[in-house]
Amino acid sequence: MTKLKQAEKYRPYLHFSPSKNWMNDPNGLIYFKGEYHLFFQHNPHDSKWGPMHWGHAVSKDLVTWDELPIALYPDEDGTIFSGSAVVDWNNTTGFFPDQPGIVAIFTHHLESEVHNPPKQSQGLAYSYDNGRTWIKYRNNPVLKHDSKVDFRDPKVFWHHSSNKWVMVLATGESISIYSSHNLIDWSFESEFGENIGSHDGVWECPDLFELKVENNEESKWVLLVSIGDNPNIDNGSRTQYFVGTFDGSIFRAEHEGTKWLDYGKDNYAGVSFADIPEEDGRRIYLGWMSNWRYANEVPTHGWRSQMTIPRELGLRRDKDSYTIIQVPVQELDYYFTRKEIIKNEWIGKELRYDFNVSYGMITLNIGNKDAVKYGVNIHHTPTNVTSIIIDTQKNLLVLDRNKSGIVSFSDNFPIQQEIKLSDTRKIKLSMIIDSSSIEIFGNGGEFALTSLVYPDKICEEVSLYALDGEINVEEGYFLKPNT
Ligand code: FRU
């Protein structure tokens, strides 16, 4: 949120973006000594994907980030692909005789004439100064495989009941689980993924954690799995999840069918923060706000990509089905002034509201009397419009960014994004609008739709409309920047 960032076209206010050059997946998300750390896949030489480093940023509130020097550089074992970080509180590694510090567990990706196909292995690095500088472990790699080409993206956590470290690793179209007592020696536990979920692409960036079920004593284990781009499927890269049990060795999903974490195109490779203090207790997640289908082409200059707003995850149970609930972290509230403007307003055709903001948030509780279609238009300018359409005949919520601004850099970008709704008679929508994105959270976080847009201006007006009938906006408020 520096002045510089605000001056550049499309540069987000509320979302982290690298000051220069390329970024993809969030890595090593961790809270330690009052700071949230966000490491990220970074090419410091170009604004396109290339030799991967770990970039680094820190935040005290998950909204305003300070970018720090690069944390991890490529070395003779390869470039630095995605991975995670943990605090080694009990010095299980022997790296921290004096006081606890952070260990990064990442993938080395080695590609050369002799290493073709490329070789992927897991390495460690550790830091004595809160992630500012790093020492690579001298006996890297700590985990490799003789035949698997896709063997990457380790997410590690301490599993309390079995008193050991657990790693989930993407291994082709499956997730392999390993365990260790010291982060150095790893044993294979199990493999998950055959005949379950979506296999539309290679599996990447897993995360495994326990979540409490809302209004209930119960808790479940959730496995997030990102799925790489498949050129035959319009959605491009996206993230699925499984809900089930984990005993320290085997994850078992308790459902069939595929659950999607986000119905928008632009939320990929997201994982959760490690070591959030127990008294806080939240599971906080953020994703890379782009899509492999067009990430290298988006129309920003000198920098590319941004992260989603960090989201608090929960789990909602309806009979025997569990859904991840995601809401923006409450820290975001400090950046807005609440301004209630709508109460019990009937809309027959269209109502326009002036909403000239550099970033904003809109929440609407809408009841549908008899409209066939209804929704919200974000008028970035008189000609750049992003539309949210609720289609009561098809039971869909559609986000149409075809007229949102620049869309021509990819044939895929303008294709509509859709969510199947079980009920179109009532809907609650919360939307975060920033310089080049719209994030929609529906029905208190039961669904999310994250979408990039490249309009000439962020927002001038917002309109609510109903076609062939009336809607009632029971309550609505527009939040403006708190400046
Ligand atoms: C996911 C991914 C990871 C890999 C990284 C490389 O977006 O493909 O599987 O570690 O990006 O940058």
Side-chain angles (χ1 to χ4, degrees), residues 219-223 242-246 251-255 322:
S219 65
K220 288 278 163 199
W221 284 81
V222 170
L223 177 67
F242 300 90
V243 181
T245 60
F246 179 62
F251 173 80
R252 290 188 180 83
E254 295 180 323
H255 57 92
Y322 296 84

Side-chain angles (χ1 to χ4, degrees), residues 24-25 41 49 52 81-82 152-153 204-205 268-269 292:
N24 57 292
D25 315 356
Q41 289 287 279
W49 190 84
M52 284 294 110
F81 271 22
S82 286
R152 60 175 177 271
D153 307 341
E204 300 183 314
C205 300
Y268 191 63
W292 279 118

Side-chain angles (χ1 to χ4, degrees), residues 1-17 61-65 289 303 306-310 332 335-336 356-360 432-437 439 456-459 481-483:
M1 302 245 301
T2 62
K3 280 272 176 296
L4 170 78
K5 289 183 180 177
Q6 292 176 0
E8 279 172 88
K9 198 163 187 190
Y10 307 134
R11 174 74 79 179
Y13 290 78
L14 297 171
H15 297 81
F16 176 74
S17 60
D61 71 353
L62 293 161
V63 184
T64 301
W65 295 92
M289 195 151 62
W303 61 280
Q306 48 187 306
M307 297 301 181
T308 67
I309 285 291
L332 202 61
Y335 290 78
F336 293 110
N356 208 330
V357 288
S358 48
Y359 58 89
I432 300 172
I433 303 172
D434 200 349
S435 318
S436 46
S437 68
E439 284 163 281
D456 287 343
K457 239 184 106 180
I458 297 163
C459 191
N482 198 0
T483 43

Side-chain angles (χ1 to χ4, degrees), residues 35 106 120 141 263 336 366 380 422 443:
E35 288 178 323
F106 57 87
Q120 299 187 334
Y263 292 84
F336 293 110
I366 305 177
H380 308 285
S422 52
N443 295 340

Side-chain angles (χ1 to χ4, degrees), residues 139-152:
N139 292 329
N140 279 339
V142 294
L143 180 62
K144 58 184 182 164
H145 198 278
D146 292 337
S147 54
K148 288 198 163 147
V149 179
D150 294 304
F151 195 65
R152 60 175 177 271

Side-chain angles (χ1 to χ4, degrees), residues 22-27 40-42 49-54 79-83 107 109 120 150-154 170 202-206 226-228 237 268-270 288 292:
W22 169 267
M23 173 177 83
N24 57 292
D25 315 356
N27 296 148
F40 53 90
Q41 289 287 279
H42 183 44
W49 190 84
M52 284 294 110
H53 298 54
W54 272 26
T79 55
I80 315 293
F81 271 22
S82 286
T107 299
H109 175 87
Q120 299 187 334
D150 294 304
F151 195 65
R152 60 175 177 271
D153 307 341
V202 65
W203 286 20
E204 300 183 314
C205 300
S226 284
I227 311 174
S237 50
Y268 191 63
W288 173 46
W292 279 118

